[in-house]
Amino acid sequence: MASDREQVDTVLDVLHLNMETLKDIQGRLHDNMVRGLSKASNPSAVVKMFPTYVRRLPNGSEQGDFFALDLGGSNFRVLLVRLSGDNVEMKSKVYKIATEIMTGTGEQLFDYIAECLAEFKREQGLEDKDLPLGFTFSFPCRQNGLTSASLVTWTKGFSASGVVGEDVAVLLSEACQRKKVNLKIVAVANDTTGTLMACAITDKNCYVGLIIGTGTNACYMESLDEVELWNGDRDEPKQTIVNMEWGAFGDDGALDDIRTDFDKAVDGVTLNKGKQLYEKMISGMYLGEISRQAILALAAKKLIFNGVVPPELQKPWSFESKYLTDIEKDNSTDGGAIKELLTQLNCPSTPHDIATIRAICSAVSTRAAKLVTAGLAAVIKKTGKRTLTVGVDGSLYKFHPRFHSLMETFTRELVPEARVKYMLSEDGSGKGAAMIAAVSG
């Protein structure tokens, strides 16, 4: 009869993706990219490939003072950014958005943001200064131009009414008028584009931006000839950053063969069922819940916690992604930190339980790193570049102890012909937004 450890491995084997499967996923994403870039197939494409209208990368000559507004979750930031060539000085303040504002009306949301902008301007002694503003709005948007973006769908727990389909720059401008705040919005972008721009300040080979945090997304510099949705001028530079919105990869069933029962159970407890399926296998918002589903499956076979799941872990989302990162950080022989965490959660912490929870977290995060890298391999090949830097931001990439090294390993295997460097972005959504405002001015 198979040992307990072998039975655990059998249950978790559904999370294992071999190199052949990863190359297949890479090919599927490439096909999705081509569909999204084509005018004829874009309406039905799930990976939308939106042109951002950001066409220039920083060259070191950028100067001046800018405001940046960074809205992408339940906290948002207002920044004052001073650019002087490669030198960037920033002052910022974080404001919390209450759940009732996230789920209220669009007018309430943007009025609150305008009030916070007014307060920040006052605190900086810039009440009467009409500085250009770069607005990082990190939700799926269709760009209509550099200063215009319409929300496609809310994600990350937001559902404010009257915003989907509307131009978020107009909504912010109208709120600023209502609240008597002088501002000139010169660019709207998302955090992925900001990440690419912030890294390109110091690395001239940076052509790809990647977010692996609460959610995941990627962008890259594409030739205008490839972007059939382009409706701007054709002057030099004949290129634009494309915001892929790749979290929706698989929403048309393209990843059904690799989605596990764990993934389906996670999707079932989300607000946006059937949407963002690639993101739901990768990003920090979901990895803890995938792990909890694996715990439930193993407990049902009496392969962890003697078959008894404590009440603390019976509720969806009760096993946080932070726990997964903490467990992966503990590489001691006795798993002291893991034992402490399990005790906190009222779980048994026998050596077998510690080894099993380690195996779960390792399987879940390794699969996430493989899936991200398979996606990036498609992007890297699409750029046609042999040497390039990927600017990366996001809490999962920053704080998970193995994510960076796993991605490097799988990149070498999937794109051996390219020299790829991963660069941690220093504040893409703040510095990057100001940089977009500067190169657009």
Side-chain angles (χ1 to χ4, degrees):
M1 197 183 148
S3 70
D4 280 1
R5 182 59 214 246
E6 286 166 338
Q7 289 181 69
V8 168
D9 289 345
T10 303
V11 172
L12 297 179
D13 194 51
V14 291
L15 295 167
H16 174 68
L17 300 172
N18 62 28
M19 210 34 69
E20 197 180 325
T21 305
L22 293 182
K23 284 180 178 160
D24 193 29
I25 292 165
Q26 172 189 322
R28 292 180 214 180
L29 181 60
H30 175 269
D31 294 346
N32 271 261
M33 291 169 75
V34 172
R35 272 209 294 283
L37 288 167
S38 152
K39 204 168 198 167
S41 50
N42 176 274
S44 62
V46 291
V47 178
K48 282 300 184 189
M49 306 295 284
F50 293 127
T52 63
Y53 298 84
V54 178
R55 297 169 68 180
R56 293 177 193 282
L57 295 176
N59 62 12
S61 67
E62 293 77 24
Q63 304 273 344
D65 292 355
F66 300 86
F67 282 124
L69 172 61
D70 171 21
L71 174 63
S74 53
N75 293 326
F76 78 95
R77 289 181 311 153
V78 185
L79 303 97
L80 172 63
V81 184
R82 186 155 286 154
L83 298 176
S84 171
D86 288 350
N87 188 36
V88 184
E89 284 173 44
M90 294 192 290
K91 290 175 180 169
S92 67
K93 186 167 181 181
V94 176
Y95 295 89
K96 188 150 184 51
I97 305 177
T99 308
E100 54 270 27
I101 292 179
M102 288 167 65
T103 56
T105 69
E107 195 166 301
Q108 286 173 318
L109 174 65
F110 284 97
D111 278 358
Y112 173 64
I113 291 167
E115 285 163 12
C116 296
L117 277 165
E119 181 188 294
F120 183 76
K121 283 185 85 175
R122 246 192 331 273
E123 287 172 0
Q124 298 300 325
L126 294 166
E127 275 158 293
D128 307 323
K129 267 279 189 134
D130 191 3
L131 294 178
L133 173 93
F135 182 15
T136 304
F137 186 77
S138 302
F139 298 92
C141 278
R142 180 181 295 280
Q143 291 275 159
N144 314 308
L146 195 58
T147 59
S148 169
S150 309
L151 178 66
V152 173
T153 178
W154 279 121
T155 53
K156 301 180 238 187
F158 277 74
S159 61
S161 61
V163 185
V164 171
E166 297 299 319
D167 186 333
V168 295
V170 170
L171 296 179
L172 178 61
S173 294
E174 287 173 351
C176 286
Q177 279 163 10
R178 283 193 296 274
K179 300 293 173 184
K180 312 252 182 306
V181 188
N182 285 340
L183 276 177
K184 182 174 180 243
I185 300 170
V186 296
V188 185
N190 70 9
D191 51 352
T192 322
T193 307
T195 295
L196 193 165
M197 294 294 279
C199 289
I201 297 170
T202 48
D203 190 322
K204 304 306 176 210
N205 279 327
C206 188
Y207 295 103
V208 179
L210 172 68
I211 299 288
I212 321 170
T214 310
T216 182
N217 192 16
C219 70
Y220 70 104
M221 187 63 88
E222 180 61 280
S223 155
L224 285 187
D225 293 339
E226 295 284 309
V227 186
E228 290 185 13
L229 296 177
W230 182 256
N231 58 6
D233 67 62
R234 296 258 161 194
D235 301 344
E236 294 291 343
K238 294 183 191 300
Q239 59 182 22
T240 182
I241 294 175
V242 168
N243 163 28
M244 293 177 65
E245 290 299 343
W246 81 357
F249 178 34
D251 289 7
D252 58 354
L255 297 175
D256 283 1
D257 57 327
I258 63 159
R259 290 181 68 229
T260 66
D261 288 343
F262 310 146
D263 298 307
K264 289 166 193 167
V266 170
D267 186 46
V269 294
T270 59
L271 293 171
N272 56 345
K273 291 180 188 51
K275 302 276 184 221
Q276 301 293 103
L277 296 181
Y278 183 56
E279 177 170 87
K280 284 175 184 170
M281 292 191 267
I282 289 171
S283 74
M285 188 161 181
Y286 306 102
L287 297 189
E289 182 59 15
I290 298 171
S291 305
R292 192 185 74 89
Q293 293 295 338
I295 290 168
L296 297 182
L298 288 164
K301 293 178 182 290
K302 296 197 166 30
L303 292 170
I304 193 171
F305 307 150
N306 285 325
V308 180
V309 178
E312 281 79 356
L313 284 184
Q314 283 173 14
K315 286 200 300 289
W317 312 108
S318 52
F319 191 86
E320 297 172 24
S321 294
K322 180 186 174 301
Y323 301 158
L324 174 135
T325 301
D326 291 344
I327 286 163
E328 292 262 67
K329 276 180 182 161
D330 181 358
N331 48 20
S332 63
T333 19
D334 66 340
I338 301 170
K339 193 171 190 160
E340 212 172 292
L341 175 64
L342 291 176
T343 307
Q344 225 176 292
L345 293 168
N346 266 337
C347 298
S349 55
T350 65
H352 170 75
D353 292 321
I354 289 171
T356 305
I357 207 93
R358 266 185 169 148
I360 292 168
C361 294
S362 173
V364 169
S365 47
T366 300
R367 183 185 70 153
K370 282 179 172 177
L371 284 168
V372 168
T373 314
L376 271 175
V379 178
I380 292 161
K381 282 186 186 281
K382 185 81 179 70
T383 67
K385 296 190 182 300
R386 288 303 181 97
T387 304
L388 89 166
T389 297
V390 178
V392 195
D393 205 348
S395 49
L396 185 62
Y397 181 82
K398 272 185 196 165
F399 301 121
H400 189 285
R402 298 190 304 130
F403 224 87
H404 172 81
S405 57
L406 286 170
M407 282 175 63
E408 285 190 322
T409 303
F410 302 136
T411 304
R412 281 194 296 273
E413 293 183 42
L414 285 165
V415 223
E417 70 277 14
R419 282 179 50 220
V420 181
K421 181 175 127 192
Y422 289 106
M423 177 182 183
L424 181 62
S425 165
E426 294 304 323
D427 194 21
S429 34
K431 191 195 292 185
M435 194 51 78
I436 292 165
V439 301
S440 313

